[in-house]
């Protein structure tokens, strides 16, 4: 079974506003609301690809109940922990002003509530896949991802980590199965600027030397690079298509890679699935469908 963890899930409220004017009353021309958060996004895309997963994390208040409802309506199993206080965040994304968004803070998570999640994770066993994705609330220690991996170290669970900076670097000593920084995040770790695919391998190799088994680096319009634990290096330019919505493309790549590896145990196939799925989501209003992924896969 695949388990995804989203510590700070949200409702993504995506609005279109024609001729937005700062300091004035603006009215929307389009509105959409989705359950969001990186782990939830991965679960959604896995479901689209025909692979079941269980979504874990914390929810609170009326917004948390709506997150649960939306997730379960899509046919995804959820085992969210309900917090007593606060409410799950709402993230506002202005569709007509590219990249403009206002993200909520999210509720505080107490030690007892965190322990409930950790006990759920204790039930994972060899062959299970755990995907830790996204930022964490300020109420949790920065070491939470590495704490979880240390706790599960003897269980032989395949762990995927999609996080940034210290959250990512701190887990490497526990040998995650896959990490997926983008080129900017990879560059930030080593204090360099990475713009082209041929610049990726030396720095991805350093992350392997620090403990990562497989390093998948997404580069938006420049494509992607994979350094696999068997020594293979795969790279691909970005498939051709019209960028419609980049939100969740990286999460889709994680889902596609995970699905591909579970299907065939092949890093080449997993890499192609990752590239195809990330691109299919970027070329669509919503997350990639299986048919869209297969169509792009045939072009690689």
């Amino acid at each position: 079974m695949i388990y995804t963890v989203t510590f700070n899930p949200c409702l993504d409220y995506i609005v279109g506003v024609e001729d937005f004017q700062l300091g004035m009353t603006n009215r929307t021309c389009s509105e959409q609301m989705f359950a969001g958060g990186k782990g939830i996004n991965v679960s959604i895309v896995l479901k689209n690809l025909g692979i079941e997963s269980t979504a874990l994390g914390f929810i609170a208040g009326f917004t948390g109940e709506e997150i649960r409802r939306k997730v379960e309506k899509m046919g995804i199993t959820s085992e969210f922990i309900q917090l007593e206080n606060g409410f799950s965040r709402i993230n506002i994304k202005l569709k007509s002003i590219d990249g403009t968004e206002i993200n909520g803070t999210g509720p505080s998570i107490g030690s007892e509530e965190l322990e409930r999640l950790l006990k759920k994770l204790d039930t994972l066993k060899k062959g299970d896949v755990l995907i830790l994705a996204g930022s964490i609330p300020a109420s949790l220690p920065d070491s939470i991802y590495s704490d979880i991996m240390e706790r599960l170290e003897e269980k032989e669970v395949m762990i995927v980590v999609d996080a940034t900076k210290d959250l990512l670097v701190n887990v490497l000593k526990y040998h995650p199965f896959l990490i997926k920084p983008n080129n900017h995040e990879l560059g930030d770790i080593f204090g360099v600027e990475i713009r082209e695919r041929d610049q990726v391998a030396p720095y991805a190799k350093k992350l392997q030397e620090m403990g990562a088994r497989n390093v998948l680096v997404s580069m938006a319009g420049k494509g992607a690079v994979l350094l696999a634990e068997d020594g293979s290096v795969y790279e691909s330019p970005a498939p051709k298509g019209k960028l419609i919505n980049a939100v969740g493309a990286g999460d889709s790549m994680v889902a596609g890679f995970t699905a591909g590896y579970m299907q065939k145990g092949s890093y080449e196939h997993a890499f192609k699935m990752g590239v195809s799925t990330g691109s299919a989501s970027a070329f669509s209003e919503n997350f990639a469908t299986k048919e869209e992924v297969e169509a792009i896969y045939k072009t690689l």
Side-chain angles (χ1 to χ4, degrees):
M1 173 58 75
I2 299 176
Y3 298 85
T4 65
V5 176
T6 310
F7 277 102
N8 207 3
C10 62
L11 290 174
D12 281 331
Y13 181 47
I14 304 171
V15 298
V17 181
E18 293 179 355
D19 192 26
F20 178 84
Q21 297 181 51
L22 194 64
M24 302 293 288
T25 298
N26 296 273
R27 300 192 183 280
T28 63
C29 59
S30 65
E31 301 178 43
Q32 294 173 294
M33 186 170 284
F34 302 102
K38 293 180 76 64
I40 289 174
N41 292 346
V42 172
S43 281
I44 292 170
V45 178
L46 286 171
K47 182 68 176 180
N48 289 354
L49 295 175
I51 295 178
E52 299 298 322
S53 68
T54 298
L56 303 172
F58 298 93
I59 56 173
F62 73 101
T63 47
E65 283 303 320
E66 181 64 5
I67 289 169
R68 186 200 304 274
R69 188 190 72 81
K70 286 183 177 296
V71 167
E72 293 181 351
K73 187 177 180 181
M74 288 182 280
I76 297 166
T77 301
S78 77
E79 294 184 11
F80 295 119
I81 292 168
Q82 182 77 44
L83 303 176
E84 290 187 10
N85 299 310
F87 58 90
S88 296
R89 61 195 180 135
I90 299 174
N91 293 344
I92 303 171
K93 302 179 186 295
L94 278 173
K95 193 174 181 182
S96 45
I97 307 176
D98 188 38
T100 301
E101 53 188 80
I102 303 172
N103 287 350
T105 301
S108 178
I109 300 169
S111 57
E112 291 184 6
E113 294 158 332
L114 176 59
E115 187 61 27
R116 287 174 61 193
L117 174 68
L118 296 176
K119 286 182 177 178
K120 281 182 180 285
L121 296 179
D122 284 341
T123 65
L124 271 61
K125 56 190 182 299
K126 181 178 179 180
D128 285 337
V129 178
L130 175 64
I131 298 175
L132 303 172
S135 61
I136 57 172
S139 56
L140 293 179
D142 290 341
S143 60
I144 186 61
Y145 280 1
S146 53
D147 292 345
I148 288 172
M149 291 190 68
E150 181 180 19
R151 188 166 176 139
L152 299 178
E153 194 171 15
E154 303 301 319
K155 289 182 173 285
E156 298 184 59
V157 174
M158 289 173 53
I159 299 181
V160 176
V161 180
D162 185 6
T164 60
K165 293 189 175 179
D166 290 346
L167 266 181
L168 180 63
V169 172
N170 291 341
V171 306
L172 298 180
K173 61 186 174 183
Y174 298 109
H175 309 293
F177 171 72
L178 177 72
I179 60 173
K180 194 218 69 64
N182 64 35
N183 57 304
H184 303 297
E185 293 161 351
L186 179 63
D188 285 346
I189 291 171
F190 296 106
V192 298
E193 188 173 6
I194 298 173
R195 293 184 175 181
E196 305 298 334
R197 290 194 304 278
D198 59 9
Q199 296 175 284
V200 168
Y203 297 101
K205 183 66 175 175
K206 288 184 179 182
L207 294 181
Q208 282 187 320
E209 292 168 354
M210 294 165 70
R213 291 170 57 187
N214 298 286
V215 182
L216 176 61
V217 180
S218 58
M219 301 185 70
K222 295 289 182 69
V225 179
L226 170 69
L227 266 69
E229 65 178 330
D230 63 4
S232 301
V233 179
Y234 301 95
E235 65 172 86
S236 172
K240 293 182 179 180
K242 181 182 178 182
L243 176 63
I244 295 176
N245 181 18
V247 175
D251 308 327
S252 299
M253 178 176 277
V254 169
F257 184 96
T258 303
Y261 188 79
M262 293 188 71
Q263 287 167 347
K264 296 187 177 181
S266 159
Y267 289 124
E268 181 179 12
H269 175 64
F271 176 64
K272 288 182 176 181
M273 279 293 294
V275 171
S276 301
T277 308
S279 299
S281 285
F283 300 159
S284 172
E285 283 283 356
N286 300 309
F287 286 117
T289 65
K290 187 175 183 179
E291 293 73 23
E292 290 168 342
V293 172
E294 289 174 347
I296 294 176
Y297 187 98
K298 292 175 182 176
T299 71
L300 297 181

